[in-house]
Every structure is written in structure tokens, then in C-alpha cells.
Amino acid sequence: MRDIYKPFVTADDPDRDIRCQDAMQFAFQDLVTASVASGWSERESLEAILYLAEDRLQVCVANDDSAALLDVLKKMLKTA
């Protein structure tokens, strides 16, 4: 799989998401190609990637929500 290059824009750059897609596009294609070469169809491969990405995103969101909730609880404990 090809390397993914490091970000060259700041975290607040409005096009950072596009730059990330650019950085990942060839590695992504390599992943799909490897999956198809293993016997999975391209559609199966893409659906699996989509499912895995969505599941991982839900974990990230849940972790962010948990961190925010913990911050609120800590503040409540300090003022109590």
C-alpha cells in the first residue's frame, strides 16, 4: 500500500478535509485493489470500508461525547 503523506496545511484550513482525501486516495485504491485480488467484489469491498468507517466514526463521536460529559461532571464536583 502506498504511503499517505503528512498534512501540509494547518488544522483550521478550510480545505483540510480535501487535502486529507487527496493524501489517502492512492492508499485507498490500493486497499480496494488488494481486497478484490483476494476474491471480494469491488462493491463488497467498498461497502465493507464504508461500514467500518461509519462504525469507527461512531466510536470517535461517542468518545468525544464521553469526554465532554466527564468535563461537565468534573466541574460539577468542584462546585459542589
Side-chain angles (χ1 to χ4, degrees):
M1 186 179 316
R2 288 175 257 194
D3 291 337
I4 299 171
Y5 60 81
K6 295 179 182 183
F8 58 90
V9 295
T10 60
D12 62 346
D13 187 290
D15 293 329
R16 189 171 166 98
D17 58 336
I18 296 168
R19 304 288 178 235
C20 184
Q21 292 171 28
D22 288 344
M24 295 178 62
Q25 69 180 332
F26 296 113
F28 173 79
Q29 186 56 50
D30 290 348
L31 175 61
V32 173
T33 300
S35 181
V36 170
S38 294
W40 301 102
S41 71
E42 183 175 19
R43 182 182 184 105
E44 289 171 320
S45 302
L46 293 170
E47 287 175 349
I49 291 167
L50 183 60
Y51 174 83
L52 291 169
E54 187 176 323
D55 189 54
R56 181 63 182 199
L57 186 56
Q58 288 176 355
V59 169
C60 289
V61 168
N63 287 341
D64 290 347
D65 290 346
S66 295
L69 179 59
L70 285 173
D71 287 342
V72 169
L73 291 173
K74 287 176 186 176
K75 288 177 184 174
M76 289 173 64
L77 287 173
K78 286 181 182 178
T79 61

